[in-house]
Amino acid sequence: MNTKSVHLNPRLSRSNPPTTSRCRALRLTTRAEETSVEYPKVSAPPNFKAPEPQALTVTRPKEQALGLTTGAAALAFRLASGAFVLGWKVESLLKDVPEGQYAMKLGPLKVRDVSTVLGDCPRPAEPLVLYEFEASPPCRKVREVAALLDLTVLYKPCPGAKLGFSDEQFAKAGKRTVPYLEDPNTGVAMFESEDQIDYLLKTYGPKPEDFDPKALWPMRGNFAFFTGALAALVRGMKGLKVQENARPDNTQMKPLELWGYEPSPFVRVVREKMESLALPHLMVNTARGSANRDRMVAKTGRFQVPYLVDPNTGIEMFESCEIVEYLEEVYTVK
């Protein structure tokens, strides 16, 4: 991979997507590397039992009130950017939905929503990699565009752009600037959030004539920066530091898998905890209209976020408060 590149490869476009053979070779290399790595050993807390999921329920009102309020304020500052996929529309209002498909219950109806423009877009065979941290406005808008395009991304937290995976990034790129994007499917790596957004749209988005570019204006320019800063401030600038009792080997763990989407207040508290623990995590985006909602229903029998899959312990679980407690128990030093 050309990890030093900071320029967009002009040959990367819808007309010249990554080839299947190249993607397959990269995928095999990645799996071979994974099997040769010895990961740190951790285990679930003694007698741990995953909580029963409770959809659309605030399970601990007193504990969650402040976090949900500030999370909702952050969502409002950013105009809910990343809550809907590009080309979102309501597909149908049905009383019955085929098994394995997502639909939101609304009284006697079931609302099914989709993207009208992402269905034929190229999908990366390997997840993209983003070095980032939670409170950074430029990082936030790249994460929002990843949700908008329904992309699965491996986040490598670099709290304050100097901790966590920052040394790894510096060894690759010679700078600690974030966000820093790597695409193992094409060999492209780059700085600059605006360039990254352009790259994601050209490589994994629809044709320009198939969508209204105004859908992206909240993720561009000064508006995105200042409202992103306000969103970070209202959340207490989470993600600037690694908490003192985080395990020092957390960056060496197998990436955890988190299903959710950027602006969700319930998902945000889990991501903030992962960032403060410097845990690598694969973000499976599930914005409204996402095809990943069907995948979750097929996998778990329901749609609810956040949903955590931890390959280090074998635990799979819903419920944000319990997930945060679980992460604190497993990935800190007592």
Side-chain angles (χ1 to χ4, degrees), residues 57-116:
T57 302
V58 178
T59 57
R60 303 182 190 179
K62 291 183 179 180
E63 293 180 36
Q64 294 177 273
L66 179 60
L68 292 178
T69 300
T70 57
L75 182 150
F77 283 133
R78 291 295 301 127
L79 303 183
S81 296
F84 299 84
V85 294
L86 195 62
W88 175 85
K89 69 168 288 187
V90 174
E91 182 182 56
S92 60
L93 298 171
L94 303 172
K95 294 183 178 179
D96 296 307
V97 173
E99 184 177 353
Q101 290 189 354
Y102 165 78
M104 181 179 68
K105 292 184 179 180
L106 193 64
L109 302 177
K110 293 183 179 180
V111 181
R112 178 166 173 78
D113 48 359
V114 298
S115 169
T116 59

Side-chain angles (χ1 to χ4, degrees), residues 139-157:
C139 295
R140 181 187 297 269
K141 66 182 184 181
V142 176
R143 296 194 305 261
E144 290 171 348
V145 170
L148 190 80
L149 296 176
D150 208 19
L151 297 172
T152 296
V153 182
L154 174 59
Y155 292 143
K156 292 193 170 185

Side-chain angles (χ1 to χ4, degrees), residues 127-143:
L128 284 72
V129 180
L130 188 69
Y131 292 82
E132 52 82 46
F133 71 91
E134 172 64 26
S136 163
C139 295
R140 181 187 297 269
K141 66 182 184 181
V142 176
R143 296 194 305 261

Side-chain angles (χ1 to χ4, degrees), residues 165-329:
F165 285 91
S166 185
D167 285 347
E168 178 181 295
Q169 180 209 339
F170 182 78
K172 291 181 175 183
K175 293 198 297 184
R176 298 184 187 273
T177 304
V178 293
Y180 179 65
L181 178 70
E182 293 179 339
D183 187 344
N185 305 283
T186 62
V188 164
M190 55 173 46
F191 295 100
E192 300 301 332
S193 58
E194 291 286 336
D195 290 343
Q196 291 168 14
I197 290 172
D198 289 339
Y199 171 78
L200 294 176
L201 285 168
K202 290 178 181 178
T203 310
Y204 300 113
K207 297 176 181 178
E209 60 268 24
D210 289 343
F211 71 96
D212 186 348
K214 292 178 182 177
L216 291 160
W217 78 262
M219 304 164 199
R220 297 287 199 175
N222 290 334
F223 177 85
F225 182 85
F226 288 115
T227 57
L230 287 172
L233 285 169
V234 79
R235 290 295 299 157
M237 298 299 292
K238 301 285 180 65
L240 281 178
K241 298 179 180 180
V242 175
Q243 64 184 63
E244 292 183 359
N245 65 338
R247 285 181 58 123
D249 56 0
N250 277 350
T251 56
Q252 301 169 40
M253 298 289 175
K254 293 179 183 178
L256 285 70
E257 185 176 291
L258 180 64
W259 296 62
Y261 52 102
E262 176 67 23
S264 165
F266 294 96
V267 175
R268 184 164 303 284
V269 294
V270 175
R271 251 193 48 82
E272 288 171 348
K273 173 57 70 173
M274 289 179 156
E275 296 268 322
S276 70
L277 294 171
L279 284 168
H281 51 286
L282 192 69
M283 189 73 192
V284 183
N285 276 302
T286 58
R288 292 219 57 94
S290 168
N292 289 326
R293 294 196 172 208
D294 283 349
R295 288 180 56 206
M296 177 181 279
V297 172
K299 177 180 173 65
T300 70
R302 64 188 300 122
F303 176 79
Q304 183 177 328
V305 293
Y307 172 60
L308 179 74
V309 179
D310 187 346
N312 299 295
T313 63
I315 293 296
E316 300 184 15
M317 61 187 298
F318 296 93
E319 298 298 332
S320 58
C321 288
E322 285 81 356
I323 292 175
V324 168
E325 291 173 347
Y326 164 84
L327 295 172
E328 180 73 24
E329 182 70 19

